[in-house]
């Protein structure tokens, strides 16, 4: 018999009655008899619904095949035998138990019955149909007095320029088909620009009152005058909803100060590098100086101080919209990309894919985080880390030079497609602890790697060596690594990794577990990975064009202690939560 004893921890309790060998009433040959490796007892093996080809251990050949994992030999006993297996969560398990005697004979094979562990699932459905609902999803405690995480979902295709929905933590325990009680809809102040919610970022960059809630930065596109991309900062609040009146707007000024195009995702929020307790806002301007590129950083400040740099007004619309003109003149700190351009005929793509701009552990010794900025073009594949001391000494008049002013460089083999969104640094996680060190690890994706997308992990970054080797590489299908999230899913306290592909059809997401403190080596869709949960978009949504994993989160959004799994599907228009 088999019984799921803990869905979250993925433990299954097995029990069976003893069997006897050679028609006798005892174990023939004893428990240690026979050739080496032929211990008499019970051979326990398992496979899951996530293993390649959906193996269900249907035949004796499957029992011994590479798609089944062996859990060792359980000793014979004359009493009923009980065993607990720990397995990868969010799977269906197929567990086979066969008696084996001291010379290697096995009892008759019987195909196991599947044991499902799907977790409880709730779904947020697009309040307005066909809106790219779920194109970007973030989570943070931004409203109310509790510490629970709200879920913020972008729908860039809503008529009028897009919309963003803020779901209060109190309603996330049940599926939601509209934006009613406990949900707030945010829309742009004007229809100038498109795709409001093209990117979302959260962090505490300021306050209206004395609250310390996380704030929300919503970016949108803009490719022509008077808007070359814009971003709206909504301040977190202890009230039930965010204030549109208190919001602060940023706008790109021209082609050299573009902060929101199809290739520039939007603004990033990074942890405090100045010591004032506020996070910072970062905009990439990859078109600056034609090929060089530029990073503009605005330090966190309360709303009253944000107003002092809100010096421009859009008078072409009604009502007039005041905004902060994003440029080196208004930014607090400025970093100029490498010069000359690393690819003479193309831009550096310096910081172009903002999900690769992250704050990392302190490398320059001032106790504050430092900043990692990718050149995401696959024919460059370099990732440079800049010390906060040098960043804080920079300005529009005296930018930090990324050519030589970095503390550390990470790199990997270059590709040939010259794509600006599939190179190293497409998406990055910083300050995770995957390897048990007191220093933080950096995890970054390379979706366009030859032979399949890669997720590269560097353990315990330090300023030396100058270009440290990769500690662990996970390889998957093409575009594997297009989204990343980290969190502890089960009770072993190890950080697990959620990632996805970004294919136009047949999109999948993968939850890759640390088991006993390590990740399995190998290639997803190649040799079977046993410690994986595979989320097949078509199977889950019934749509071959599913983009499940367009956004990925491992965060507690529905109560409890451990992280929940959040996957959006911007084609089907839904966000699913497994908990």
């Amino acid at each position: 018999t088999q019984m799921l004893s803990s869905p979250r921890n993925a433990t299954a309790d097995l029990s069976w009655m003893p069997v006897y060998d050679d028609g006798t009433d005892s174990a023939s040959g004893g428990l240690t008899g026979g050739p080496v490796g032929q211990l008499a007892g019970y051979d326990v093996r398992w496979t899951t619904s996530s293993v390649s080809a959906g193996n269900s251990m249907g035949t004796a050949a499957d029992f011994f095949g590479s798609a089944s994992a062996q859990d060792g030999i359980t000793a014979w006993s004359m009493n009923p035998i009980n065993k607990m297996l720990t397995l990868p969560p969010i799977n269906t398990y197929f567990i086979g138990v066969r008696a084996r005697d001291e010379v290697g004979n096995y009892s008759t094979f019987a195909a196991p019955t599947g044991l499902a562990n799907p977790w409880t699932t709730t779904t947020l459905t697009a309040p307005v149909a066909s809106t790219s609902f779920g194109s970007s999803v973030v989570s943070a405690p931004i409203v109310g007095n509790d510490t629970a995480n709200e879920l913020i979902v972008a729908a860039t295709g809503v008529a009028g320029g897009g919309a963003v929905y803020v779901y209060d933590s109190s309603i996330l325990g049940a599926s939601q088909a509209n934006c009613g009680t406990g949900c707030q809809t945010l829309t742009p102040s004007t229809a100038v620009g498109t795709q409001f919610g093209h990117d979302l970022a959260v962090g505490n960059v300021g306050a209206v009152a004395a609250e310390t809630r996380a704030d929300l930065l919503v970016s949108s596109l803009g490719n022509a005058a008077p808007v070359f991309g814009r971003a709206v900062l909504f301040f977190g609040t202890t009230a039930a909803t965010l204030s549109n009146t208190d919001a602060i707007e940023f706008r790109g000024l021209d082609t050299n100060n573009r902060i929101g195009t199809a290739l520039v995702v939007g603004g990033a929020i990074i942890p405090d590098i100045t010591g004032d307790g506020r996070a910072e806002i970062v905009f990439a301007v990859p078109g600056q100086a034609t090929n060089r590129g530029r990073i503009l950083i605005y330090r966190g400040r309360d709303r009253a101080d944000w107003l002092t740099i809100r010096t421009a007004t859009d008078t072409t619309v009604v009502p007039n919209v005041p905004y902060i003109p994003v440029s080196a003149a208004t930014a607090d700190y400025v970093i100029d990309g490498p010069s000359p351009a690393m690819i003479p005929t193309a831009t550096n793509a310096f910081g172009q894919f903002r999900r690769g701009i992250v704050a990392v552990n302190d490398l320059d010794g001032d106790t504050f985080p430092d900043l990692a900025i990718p050149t995401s073009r696959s024919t460059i594949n370099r990732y440079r880390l800049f010390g906060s001391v040098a960043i804080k000494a920079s300005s529009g008049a005296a930018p930090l030079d990324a050519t030589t002013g970095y503390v550390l460089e990470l790199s990997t083999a270059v590709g040939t497609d010259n794509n600006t969104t599939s190179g190293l640094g497409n998406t990055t996680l910083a300050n995770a602890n995957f390897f048990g060190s007191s220093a933080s690890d950096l995890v970054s994706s390379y979706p366009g790697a030859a032979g399949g997308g890669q997720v590269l992990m560097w353990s315990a970054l330090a300023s030396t060596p100058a270009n440290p080797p990769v500690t662990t590489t996970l390889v998957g299908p093409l575009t594997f690594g297009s989204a990343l999230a980290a969190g502890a899913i089960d009770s072993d306290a190890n950080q697990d990794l959620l990632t996805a592909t970004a294919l136009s059809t047949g999109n999948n997401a993968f939850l890759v577990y640390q088991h006993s403190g390590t990740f399995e080596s190998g290639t997803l869709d190649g040799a079977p990975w046993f410690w994986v949960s595979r989320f097949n978009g078509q199977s889950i949504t019934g749509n071959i064009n599913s983009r499940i994993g367009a956004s990925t989160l491992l965060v507690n959004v529905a109560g409890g202690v451990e992280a929940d799994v959040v996957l959006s599907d911007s084609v089907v228009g839904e966000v699913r939560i497994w908990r």
Side-chain angles (χ1 to χ4, degrees):
T1 62
Q2 56 183 4
M3 180 183 69
L4 190 65
S5 54
S6 173
R8 167 65 70 168
N9 297 329
T11 52
D13 292 335
L14 313 180
S15 62
W16 63 90
M17 296 298 292
V19 296
Y20 296 90
D21 183 32
D22 300 333
T24 70
D25 60 357
S26 63
S28 175
L31 298 180
T32 58
V36 174
Q38 296 292 348
L39 180 67
Y42 299 90
D43 191 342
V44 180
R45 304 195 185 206
W46 57 271
T47 189
T48 76
S49 53
S50 291
V51 170
S52 299
N55 181 21
S56 60
M57 201 186 290
T59 67
D62 293 331
F63 181 85
F64 293 111
S66 62
S68 292
Q70 187 180 35
D71 196 71
I73 302 298
T74 300
W76 182 89
S77 170
M78 65 184 300
N79 300 311
I81 301 165
N82 299 293
K83 182 180 181 66
M84 186 182 76
L85 281 182
T86 299
L87 301 165
I90 322 181
N91 270 289
T92 294
Y93 314 121
F94 302 92
I95 305 168
V97 181
R98 299 180 71 184
R100 188 177 77 179
D101 71 10
E102 78 279 5
V103 293
N105 297 309
Y106 275 79
S107 59
T108 303
F109 174 79
T113 301
L115 179 63
N117 182 17
W119 285 13
T120 300
T121 306
T122 56
T123 304
L124 309 180
T125 307
V128 180
S130 302
T131 62
S132 298
F133 180 80
S135 54
S136 185
V137 183
V138 295
S139 184
I142 64 172
V143 296
N145 283 308
D146 58 21
T147 58
N149 290 296
E150 276 67 54
L151 202 62
I152 303 103
V153 182
T156 55
V158 170
V164 172
Y165 302 97
V166 181
Y167 293 88
D168 187 83
S169 56
S170 62
I171 66 172
L172 291 174
S175 295
Q176 306 291 323
N178 54 53
C179 190
T181 302
C183 175
Q184 180 184 7
T185 302
L186 303 175
T187 55
S189 58
T190 67
V192 178
T194 60
Q195 295 193 32
F196 183 73
H198 179 64
D199 189 35
L200 304 174
V202 287
N204 179 20
V205 299
V208 175
E211 48 76 25
T212 57
R213 312 296 287 167
D215 308 308
L216 172 66
L217 186 69
V218 181
S219 299
S220 59
L221 301 184
N223 294 303
V227 178
F228 291 86
R230 63 177 174 173
V232 181
L233 176 63
F234 295 91
F235 293 98
T237 176
T238 55
T241 58
L242 301 175
S243 169
N244 283 291
T245 303
D246 289 334
I248 298 288
E249 186 165 320
F250 301 81
R251 291 194 182 184
L253 294 178
D254 50 47
T255 56
N256 287 325
N257 293 282
R258 235 175 240 190
I259 65 168
T261 70
L263 295 178
V264 181
V265 176
I269 293 179
I270 62 168
D272 177 27
I273 65 172
T274 65
D276 64 359
R278 302 294 192 196
E280 332 296 354
I281 294 178
V282 180
F283 293 107
V285 188
Q288 190 272 340
T290 308
N291 289 341
R292 189 171 187 181
R294 171 172 278 177
I295 300 296
L296 303 172
I297 303 173
Y298 291 80
R299 61 174 177 79
R301 62 197 87 192
D302 289 340
R303 184 177 185 274
D305 293 323
W306 283 113
L307 292 178
T308 64
I309 57 173
R310 195 173 68 170
T311 56
T313 302
D314 183 351
T315 59
T316 66
V317 296
V318 178
N320 295 344
V321 178
Y323 62 89
I324 296 172
V326 176
S327 70
T330 59
D332 295 295
Y333 314 118
V334 179
I335 306 174
D336 278 348
S339 180
M342 295 182 179
I343 304 293
T345 59
T347 67
N348 283 318
F350 185 58
Q352 183 155 296
F353 213 70
R354 86 90 183 143
R355 290 191 178 96
I357 301 175
V358 294
V360 301
N361 52 295
D362 177 34
L363 298 177
D364 63 3
D366 69 340
T367 73
F368 297 114
D370 298 323
L371 189 63
I373 304 172
T375 47
S376 300
R377 190 177 293 280
S378 62
T379 43
I380 298 176
N381 277 350
R382 295 190 186 183
Y383 214 147
R384 289 180 175 172
L385 282 68
F386 300 87
S388 57
V389 171
I391 293 173
K392 289 178 288 189
S394 71
S395 65
L400 174 61
D401 188 349
T403 310
T404 58
Y406 55 90
V407 177
L408 184 70
E409 180 176 81
L410 308 175
S411 63
T412 191
V414 299
T416 58
D417 64 3
N418 210 29
N419 192 299
T420 57
T421 60
S422 64
L424 176 66
N426 172 281
T427 304
T428 300
L429 304 172
N431 302 320
N433 186 352
F434 285 102
F435 303 105
S437 169
S438 58
S440 300
D441 308 321
L442 185 79
V443 180
S444 191
S445 68
Y446 178 12
Q454 298 180 2
V455 174
L456 301 99
M457 301 182 174
W458 284 269
S459 174
L461 284 179
S463 57
T464 55
N467 193 341
V470 175
T471 305
T472 298
T473 301
L474 307 179
V475 181
L478 184 65
T479 72
F480 177 75
S482 61
L484 292 176
I489 284 295
D490 43 28
S491 62
D492 66 4
N494 292 314
Q495 292 279 296
D496 306 305
L497 187 73
L498 180 63
T499 185
T501 55
L503 303 170
S504 57
T505 61
N507 199 39
N508 294 326
F510 304 88
L511 182 52
V512 186
Y513 301 96
Q514 277 203 85
H515 178 58
S516 299
T518 60
F519 291 99
E520 287 183 304
S521 59
T523 302
L524 283 164
D525 288 336
W529 279 36
F530 295 107
W531 290 94
V532 169
S533 293
R534 183 189 305 262
F535 301 85
N536 181 276
Q538 183 176 0
S539 299
I540 291 173
T541 67
N543 189 328
I544 191 174
N545 298 315
S546 170
R547 281 294 305 277
I548 198 163
S551 281
T552 61
L553 294 176
L554 289 178
V555 64
N556 186 334
V557 295
V561 178
E562 296 92 351
D564 305 313
V565 176
V566 180
L567 294 172
S568 71
D569 189 326
S570 56
V571 169
V572 176
E574 64 183 27
V575 176
R576 291 181 181 248
I577 304 169
W578 284 263
R579 66 184 199 282

